[in-house]
Amino acid sequence: MLYLGCHLSNSAGFEAMGKTALKVGANTFQFFLRNPRGGAAKDINPDDVAAFLKLAKDNNFGKILAHAPYTLNPCSKDANTRDFARQVFADDLKRMEYIPHNLYNFHPGSHVGQGVTVAVPQIIEILDDVMPEAKNTTVLLETMSGKGSEVGSTFEELAEIISRTKNNAPNQLGVCLDTCHVFSAGYDIINRLDEVLEHFDRVIGLERLHAIHLNDSMTEFNSHKDRHEKIGLGSLGKDGIIRFINHPALKNIPINLETPNELDGYAAEIDLLRGNYKEC
């Protein structure tokens, strides 16, 4: 089954996002629970949630993916920024209980000159504080491109965080793989996809790969840049991305487009990918 979606605005509620997803040919989607730059989240309407859950069941939706705000930095050298991350993270996970058995993705953060050896324990400390709130949610660390002082551009860094966190069963804590990010970080998913996935399996475990961000890249391999491109217009290319989504190790994992598009562009990309997907 191909669960394919895109990023949608949550301003109109869950049912509206579900209906928009169906209009563009999607059967999953990604969204923010609050402004992506942080701030207060609006109240969740239980009636809206109930209507969405029925729509999702009736249309065989895959798991949906909430994204943490970009300002959430659990390894900042500023204690107030880390406290903000802890509070927002915990509050978001409480909200996720309204839509149980779905996914919550976050960027591991930027160490801002402290170094990875200082940053990793800070990330683990916050995860240990907030994970008890994720009673029915799987929390995902996103693979990063390695720009600046980002943590999480190597599978080994992600594996260290996961292995040292207390609540870390595969259904509790996992990974969202971003195609642009991993390619920019030095993992050649175009020419050596089998090897990259085997490496991921050895270091992290494919059972922890719960979601994919599907993007082409404006920059070249190993550039350590984060520049998403529309499908087929970047250095990954249409054929490489089609081979990626058809890899047998990635079947049934929810895929969300984060390409620079409006809804009509997402609809065209979803149509392209569905037309080139081979059920097995």
Side-chain angles (χ1 to χ4, degrees):
M1 183 71 179
L2 180 63
Y3 296 109
L4 187 59
C6 58
H7 197 100
L8 299 177
S9 169
N10 189 24
S11 60
F14 288 100
E15 184 184 21
M17 286 192 291
K19 289 180 177 179
T20 300
L22 291 173
K23 287 179 181 178
V24 297
N27 55 356
T28 186
F29 57 86
Q30 178 178 264
F31 65 101
F32 287 107
L33 283 161
R34 64 185 69 231
N35 186 297
R37 299 299 170 189
K42 70 176 187 178
D43 292 338
I44 292 177
N45 182 338
D47 292 337
D48 173 52
V49 170
F52 163 70
L53 292 175
K54 182 179 186 306
L55 180 146
K57 182 179 180 180
D58 290 347
N59 290 278
N60 195 26
F61 269 45
K63 292 185 177 182
I64 59 174
L65 178 64
H67 199 302
Y70 296 129
T71 48
L72 192 151
N73 185 3
C75 61
S76 170
K77 64 181 179 181
D78 179 73
N80 290 330
T81 302
R82 293 199 304 275
D83 285 342
F84 170 82
R86 182 183 286 104
Q87 293 166 15
V88 170
F89 209 146
D91 186 58
D92 277 359
L93 292 179
K94 290 176 182 176
R95 293 172 183 277
M96 288 298 292
E97 290 301 299
Y98 284 91
I99 47 168
H101 311 300
N102 284 297
L103 310 168
Y104 182 85
N105 176 66
F106 78 104
H107 294 177
S110 295
H111 61 71
V112 200
Q114 299 182 102
V116 173
T117 55
V118 174
V120 165
Q122 292 174 336
I123 298 167
I124 293 166
E125 179 184 354
I126 287 181
L127 279 171
D128 283 344
D129 284 347
V130 304
M131 284 297 291
E133 302 292 348
K135 299 177 180 65
N136 295 286
T137 300
T138 304
V139 175
L140 307 181
L141 296 93
E142 184 171 338
T143 58
M144 305 307 295
S145 64
K147 66 179 175 67
S149 60
E150 281 181 340
V151 179
S153 64
T154 70
F155 297 160
E156 285 76 12
E157 286 178 2
L158 297 175
E160 182 181 3
I161 295 166
I162 291 169
S163 66
R164 292 171 57 187
T165 302
K166 292 176 183 176
N167 299 293
N168 67 354
N171 67 331
Q172 293 176 302
L173 194 60
V175 171
C176 173
L177 187 149
D178 186 300
T179 54
C180 170
H181 293 176
V182 294
F183 190 69
S184 296
Y187 294 99
D188 191 353
I189 58 173
I190 299 305
N191 300 301
R192 305 177 72 175
L193 179 57
D194 284 341
E195 293 176 42
V196 171
L197 292 177
E198 288 166 4
H199 183 193
F200 185 100
D201 194 30
R202 286 195 306 274
V203 175
I204 298 175
L206 281 169
E207 72 278 5
R208 292 191 185 271
L209 181 55
H210 292 282
I212 293 166
H213 286 164
L214 191 69
N215 306 291
D216 213 323
S217 175
M218 291 184 181
T219 60
E220 296 303 313
F221 173 68
N222 205 27
S223 64
H224 298 286
K225 302 291 185 183
D226 183 0
R227 299 288 185 271
H228 297 189
E229 181 57 285
K230 296 177 182 179
I231 301 301
L233 299 184
S235 55
L236 279 75
K238 183 183 76 172
D239 292 342
I241 288 173
I242 288 170
R243 286 195 300 273
F244 178 88
I245 66 168
N246 280 288
H247 195 284
L250 305 176
K251 300 295 182 183
N252 300 319
I253 297 174
I255 297 172
N256 279 290
L257 294 159
E258 287 187 327
T259 51
N261 268 313
E262 300 296 333
L263 286 176
D264 58 346
Y266 284 133
E269 289 183 339
I270 290 170
D271 185 62
L272 168 70
L273 294 169
R274 287 202 184 283
N276 286 278
Y277 179 74
K278 300 174 183 177
E279 294 281 0
C280 66

